[in-house]
Every structure is written in structure tokens, then in C-alpha cells.
Amino acid sequence: MANVKVVVPGDIIETRTEANEEPVLRLGPGLTHQNDKTSAVVAGVLHNSSDSNQWWVASNKRRYSPAEGEPVVGVVVARHGEGYRVDIGSAHDALLPLLAFEGATRRNKPNLALGSVVYARIVVANLMMEPEIECFNSHTGKSEGYGELSDGFMFKCSLGLAHQLISAKAPVLNALGSELAFEAAVGVNGRVWINAESPEKTILVANAIKNSEHLNASQCKQMVKELLGRN
């Protein structure tokens, strides 16, 4: 992460890079792009990932605002003729088409029950339309980790912590991974799904993640050891 600073609504964000070929600009929560200019729409801390040219504003807001390409964890709340309605924590439920899964056809498509947890990505995010999600990468046709999340445990966290966990260098996930075997799916909508070899270890991982928001790497390691009883 680089170029971290505080912004307020209306601030113009300089997103150009020194690369010979300008990479695709990816905007996350808190930013908008109009008339060839990127500006902030909320107050918070500006972040960007140089690897993907992704920019977003981390704020203390409680409700998630969908942005295209973002991974989310959602809960199926209704089914209709063409798909499902999924609660992703935003102002409106997201639409999940029946065919938005790897290998899905009219004759062969998943049958999700109400309450099912899914890992998906935002494909439509427009103020004039309900958000739409998919449980595969429509460009490659592969699931790439998206789909129904069976078993395990889902919990909520702050949007700021969710963005920290998405990073490959998330200290708490690295500390836990060196001690335990577990699966995790992190949505930038402030929801995390965990599955470990036992309910006790699943809850331990969830508690460690919840406690990590304001800890550095060394503090995360110490906290994980204490939770495991390895002082």
C-alpha cells in the first residue's frame, strides 16, 4: 500500500501512474469518476494498491456501498424465476442470476436454499440499479474460489478491517496460518467466512480476526499464541 492520505468529499484524486501503459483504473468505495476526474464522495483515508491500480477510501461508515469487481460474502434471502436475492449488507439486496456459476446451464444449475452463504463478486454497481453479483469469473468461465460456502461460520467486521484482510500481507491471517489449517473467504462488505477442522478452532480464528483490527504484526502473533495457550 502507498499514497495514504486523508480526503474529504470533493477532493480531486490524482490516479495517474508513471507507467508507459496506463493500467485499468479500479475504483472502490468512496470514489467516483466523472469528466475524466476522480474525486472523493466520503471523508476518510485514501488507499491505493499499486499492483492493481485500485483506489478506495476507508471510512467509518457502517453500510457497504457496492463497487464493480469487489468480492463480497452474502446470504441468500429469496428466490425468484431467474435467480436469487442476496443480502450483501448494502442499501439493496443484490441479484444473483441462476446461470452466474461455473458450468451452469438451464438444465444444470445450483439449487441454493434460503440462508445459504455465497462468495461472489460485484458485476453491476449503479446508483440507478440494484447491484448484481456472480459466483464465477465470467471472463474465464472458472469459479476461482467463488460459489456457495458450505459449513463454516460467517461473522461481520468493520469495512476497514475487511479491506485489511483482503491484503495478502494481512498480519492476523499470516499469524493464524502459521499455527492452524483453515479456510477463509473475505468480503469487502464487512463479512468473513471461516471454516476450520473443528467448531472450537473456527471460533478461535474468528475471535482472533475480530481482535486484530488495531494490532500490528508482532501484536497479532502474540495474540494468536495467547488464544492457543502458547505463551
Side-chain angles (χ1 to χ4, degrees), residues 20-31:
N20 293 328
E21 294 184 7
E22 194 70 17
V24 175
L25 177 63
R26 303 179 185 277
L27 298 183
L31 296 175

Side-chain angles (χ1 to χ4, degrees), residues 21-215:
E21 294 184 7
E22 194 70 17
V24 175
L25 177 63
R26 303 179 185 277
L27 298 183
L31 296 175
T32 186
H33 189 78
Q34 296 180 337
N35 300 322
D36 293 328
K37 292 183 178 180
T38 300
S39 60
V41 294
V42 299
V45 178
L46 177 68
H47 293 266
N48 88 288
S49 172
S50 58
D51 294 337
S52 61
N53 199 30
Q54 183 175 21
W55 298 73
W56 71 92
V57 176
S59 65
N60 62 355
K61 65 179 181 178
R62 293 173 180 253
R63 174 168 284 176
Y64 170 64
S65 298
E68 289 185 15
E70 292 186 333
V72 294
V73 175
V75 179
V76 176
V77 294
R79 177 169 180 168
H80 53 82
E82 295 300 318
Y84 303 92
R85 301 188 70 84
V86 179
D87 172 17
I88 59 172
S90 61
H92 302 284
D93 293 337
L95 303 178
L96 175 60
L98 288 173
L99 301 182
F101 296 82
E102 180 182 4
T105 65
R106 292 289 179 182
R107 294 185 177 181
N108 180 27
K109 50 187 179 290
N111 183 22
L112 301 179
L114 298 186
S116 295
V117 179
V118 295
Y119 191 43
R121 70 173 194 150
I122 305 290
V123 289
V124 175
N126 189 311
L127 292 177
M128 305 302 293
M129 302 172 60
E130 293 178 308
E132 183 175 322
I133 59 178
E134 63 183 12
C135 284
F136 76 133
N137 186 330
S138 55
H139 299 295
T140 64
K142 303 298 183 181
S143 66
E144 297 184 5
Y146 297 113
E148 183 179 7
L149 299 173
S150 302
D151 303 320
F153 171 66
M154 187 195 77
F155 63 93
K156 298 179 181 179
C157 67
S158 72
L159 300 183
L161 177 56
H163 271 287
Q164 293 177 34
L165 296 172
I166 286 290
S167 169
K169 298 180 180 179
V172 68
L173 295 184
N174 289 333
L176 286 165
S178 65
E179 301 284 349
L180 296 169
F182 66 95
E183 297 176 285
V186 180
V188 295
N189 57 332
R191 295 180 180 179
V192 182
W193 173 87
I194 297 294
N195 190 27
E197 61 186 23
S198 69
E200 293 78 14
K201 289 186 177 179
T202 297
I203 296 302
L204 185 150
V205 172
N207 287 337
I209 291 174
K210 291 178 183 178
N211 294 337
S212 72
E213 185 163 5
H214 303 293
L215 302 181

